[in-house]
Amino acid sequence: MFNEITIGPLTLHTYGLMIGLGFLAAYAMCYYRGKKMKMEKSGDILYGIFWCAIIGGLVGTRLLYYIVEIPEIIKDPSILWNFKNGYVVYGGIIGGILVSWLYCRIKKVSFIEYFDLVMPAVALAQGFGRIGCFFAGCCYGKATDSWFGITFTHSDYAPNGVKLIPTQLISSAGDFMICLMLLAYAKRKPKKGRVASLYLMFYGIGRFGVEFLRSDYRGSVGFLSTSQFISIGIVAAGIILYQMLPRIYEGAKKAE
């Protein structure tokens, strides 16, 4: 849509700008909430988790793409070093969580507490990121005659001159809504691990639904898109962790 902003000799890409704003907003939210909750050394730990999430997320998005595209990679190995496209959001979520878990283990702090603290902010960052997708034209929706359709004219990704469902904005609104719901739920002081578990359930359900509206290539598993297939596992994991994480946390506290 408007993926480049030129200020004199400087050109900013809106997609990258929105992702950067998302990370900064997420970090600020976590830092504020961590201090308010009086979490020990929250500032130092959050800084480490921030970089773990970025590194683990970037590696995860690419690695999962390689996994789901193995047949295409066998046909054309050049896909391996084509970094212009080929990033799977779920890989970023999983990679960021795993690397952050490892970091918390090394630092000997409760991963579950930080898991709860960080996941509402992840939804916030994703909301900004999807706005970046909208500006770039990627992750576009199906053609529509509806009044809310969006027509791209200079996109390198979406078909130009065709009225499309604005799936990027729908996803963004959903991510912001998930963030607000998790923050509201966290104020009720639920058992440890349940805020993060609800993120997995909410995001998985929302992503599963939005996939029906998208038209860009995302791979498939049977009659489901790759992301829909992964969403089922993510929701199932959220349901299981909703019950398990409080017990794991309480058991760890008793063992201290």
Side-chain angles (χ1 to χ4, degrees):
M1 183 63 71
F2 301 103
N3 197 31
E4 292 185 353
I5 299 174
T6 302
I7 305 174
L10 180 65
T11 299
L12 299 175
H13 292 277
T14 314
Y15 180 77
L17 179 63
M18 295 308 297
I19 289 178
L21 288 174
F23 273 121
L24 290 175
Y27 181 77
M29 174 187 285
C30 289
Y31 187 85
Y32 171 77
R33 293 183 66 229
K35 290 293 185 182
K36 190 174 181 180
M37 295 162 66
K38 298 181 180 179
M39 293 177 67
E40 185 181 2
K41 299 180 181 178
S42 62
D44 295 336
I45 298 299
L46 281 172
Y47 185 75
I49 290 176
F50 175 78
W51 286 107
C52 285
I54 292 177
I55 295 170
L58 289 174
V59 173
T61 57
R62 194 64 183 176
L63 184 59
L64 186 56
Y65 173 72
Y66 288 154
I67 292 172
V68 301
E69 292 295 329
I70 287 176
E72 295 301 319
I73 291 173
I74 292 174
K75 296 177 185 176
D76 181 11
S78 68
I79 292 174
L80 290 170
W81 50 85
N82 178 8
F83 295 99
K84 183 177 180 180
N85 300 308
Y87 300 92
V88 180
V89 171
Y90 269 131
I93 294 172
I94 296 169
I97 290 173
L98 289 177
V99 176
S100 297
W101 170 79
L102 180 60
Y103 176 79
C104 287
R105 291 275 293 181
I106 293 172
K107 289 294 185 177
K108 294 181 172 56
V109 296
S110 172
F111 168 73
I112 295 175
E113 289 184 10
Y114 283 94
F115 196 24
D116 277 342
L117 176 66
V118 167
M119 294 318 287
V122 169
L124 176 67
Q126 287 176 309
F128 279 97
R130 286 303 183 188
I131 294 174
C133 289
F134 173 71
F135 285 125
C138 59
C139 309
Y140 55 87
K142 295 179 178 178
T144 181
D145 292 325
S146 182
W147 62 269
F148 57 78
I150 297 293
T151 303
F152 292 91
T153 56
H154 299 88
S155 174
D156 293 330
Y157 304 98
N160 293 299
V162 180
K163 204 172 183 182
L164 305 173
I165 297 173
T167 46
Q168 310 94 329
L169 299 182
I170 293 172
S171 295
S172 178
D175 290 330
F176 289 139
M177 188 177 298
I178 289 172
C179 175
L180 291 175
M181 288 191 297
L182 293 179
L183 291 176
Y185 181 66
K187 287 183 178 180
R188 298 171 57 184
K189 301 188 184 303
K191 292 183 178 180
K192 299 297 183 183
R194 289 195 164 168
V195 172
S197 299
L198 281 178
Y199 165 84
L200 297 177
M201 287 187 267
F202 289 160
Y203 183 78
I205 292 170
R207 181 62 185 271
F208 188 93
V210 170
E211 284 291 300
F212 285 113
L213 305 177
R214 284 177 60 171
S215 186
D216 56 317
Y217 175 74
R218 304 172 310 290
S220 63
V221 180
F223 62 92
L224 298 174
S225 72
T226 302
S227 291
Q228 284 179 318
F229 181 76
I230 297 173
S231 291
I232 294 173
I234 291 293
V235 173
I239 293 171
I240 294 170
L241 292 176
Y242 187 85
Q243 299 298 327
M244 288 182 58
L245 288 182
R247 299 175 188 175
I248 294 172
Y249 178 81
E250 291 168 7
K253 284 297 181 182
K254 289 179 182 179
E256 290 181 353

